[in-house]
Each structure stands twice: as C-alpha cells, then as structure tokens.
Amino acid sequence: MHSQGDRALRQLWGIDPPTVRGPKARWSPLEVADAAVALADAIGLEALSLARVAARLEMTTTALYRYVDDKATLIELMVDRAIGDVPAIDGADWRDRCRRWVELLAARYAQHPWLSEVSPTGMPTQPRAYAWIDALVSAIDVESVDALRLAMLLDGLVRTYANLERTVQGAPPPSWLGGEIADRFPRLAGAESQDVTDADAERRFAVDAVLRGLG
C-alpha cells in the first residue's frame, strides 16, 4: 500500500498510471503541479499554499487533497515540472560541457526563482532531477574525474548562486566601512565595494575555479 505522496512520485516515474481518489477528476496531478508552479513564479514558494492553488484551479482546498496530501508532496511534483527536460549539452571538451550544463540549469532557476528556496533533504527523488545529473555525468568523459561528485557539486553551485541572486538586495555599504577595512585588514582593501550582486559572474568564477582544479 502506497501513501498518496509516494503514489505521486511513482506517477512521475511512470510506475503507476495517473489516478485521483474519488469521482472522475477535473485535473491531473501534473496539471495541479503546473498551476502551482505558475503561482509560485508569481508569489514565491513561502506564500504558496494549498488553498491558493485550489483557488487558482477554482476548487475547494478539500477537493485539492484528492491530488496531493500536503504542500511537501506538491513541491516534489513542482520541482520536477519546473526544471523540465534536459536540453542537449554541447561543448568542445568536457569542461565546456560542464559550463554549458551549469548555464542551462541556472536558466531554469532564473525562470523559477523559488527553486532555490527548496531545501534539499537528501538525494533528489524526481526523474528529471536525475536526468539532469545523468546528462552531466555522460558529458564528462575523463576517467580521472569523479563525474557524479562533480555533478552534485555543480548542482549545488547553481542553487547557491540562484539563492544569492534572489536574496541579495545590493544596498551600498556605509561610507566609513571602506576606510575601516583598509586600516585593519589592508590586504582586503576595497573588498566592501566588490559587486556580489552579479550572481551570474560569481557563479561563473566559482565554476571555473572548480574546473581548473580537475582533470
């Protein structure tokens, strides 16, 4: 006997056919997830609730429980829908293919900023998450590199810098801070003016630093 959350994941993997408890359903679980994705894109993950998703679909919250048990189950489905299918990973060599993979995944996070709010609790459970990892592992064709560990590291970098882009507001530092830093930590003079709000540039630097140390 499977829980409803487990059934939802089994349906994502194609193990079980899409089913909903009770009378004939107006929506499929994946259509519910698509509606939740669109709503999270507009209001963020924290503001998302089953009641708001239900309202978007013109149903009661009670009726939505026919599709998902709770918000956590819904988020599992949403992540799979939001990251989508893996595009072709091209590049002259394995490092270029790693960079391309990062840029493609980062674009999905930019399209759905709330993805960076989903805190991993272990290895992913969605098929598309594994498809992305598998695509990068396949693109790394050198035996000296632990492709799976590198894929997980780069996945974490994408999440980290997507979260940076979402949360850093870029307020200027107080005018006196530069002088204090220069006096006390002269090797760090000017650090306070570094633009960390350019998350794309920071992510590319981090990825290049990782790749230079491999192979």
Side-chain angles (χ1 to χ4, degrees):
M1 192 73 176
H2 303 290
S3 69
Q4 190 169 351
D6 185 49
R7 281 199 300 272
L9 286 176
R10 289 170 66 87
Q11 289 168 22
L12 276 182
W13 285 89
I15 299 172
D16 294 340
T19 57
V20 176
R21 296 178 297 193
K24 183 178 179 180
R26 180 181 175 187
W27 309 99
S28 72
L30 296 186
E31 287 173 329
V32 170
D34 287 340
V37 166
L39 189 56
D41 289 345
I43 66 174
L45 192 65
E46 185 175 353
L48 185 78
S49 66
L50 293 187
R52 283 178 165 167
V53 175
R56 186 180 184 91
L57 294 170
E58 299 181 342
M59 67 169 70
T60 65
T61 305
T62 301
L64 190 64
Y65 283 112
R66 297 178 58 204
Y67 301 87
V68 291
D69 279 339
D70 49 35
K71 184 176 177 179
T73 299
L74 180 59
I75 290 173
E76 294 271 7
L77 302 180
M78 290 168 60
V79 168
D80 187 81
R81 303 297 282 177
I83 61 173
D85 294 323
V86 190
I89 310 297
D90 52 11
D93 58 27
W94 69 271
R95 286 186 175 88
D96 282 346
R97 290 191 289 273
C98 285
R99 293 185 182 96
R100 179 60 176 159
W101 182 91
V102 165
E103 294 303 313
L104 290 168
L105 184 57
R108 298 293 169 89
Y109 274 76
Q111 184 180 0
H112 307 287
W114 55 268
L115 278 170
S116 66
E117 298 181 61
V118 180
S119 300
T121 57
M123 287 296 288
T125 57
Q126 305 89 348
R128 280 171 165 163
Y130 278 96
W132 276 88
I133 297 298
D134 181 68
L136 184 54
V137 169
S138 300
I140 301 171
D141 54 2
V142 286
E143 294 183 0
S144 59
V145 174
D146 188 328
L148 179 57
R149 283 184 171 176
L150 176 56
M152 298 304 296
L153 173 59
L154 294 181
D155 179 79
L157 286 178
V158 171
R159 181 185 304 277
T160 296
Y161 286 99
N163 190 56
L164 177 69
E165 186 170 23
R166 182 178 58 84
T167 57
V168 173
Q169 301 302 313
S175 59
W176 53 264
L177 183 60
E180 289 297 315
I181 292 174
D183 287 344
R184 301 188 192 193
F185 312 103
R187 286 185 294 269
L188 303 183
E192 82 289 348
S193 61
Q194 182 172 340
D195 183 11
V196 297
T197 63
D198 188 348
D200 287 344
E202 296 299 319
R203 184 189 64 246
R204 286 192 291 269
F205 177 85
V207 170
D208 285 344
V210 169
L211 296 179
R212 280 197 302 270
L214 294 173

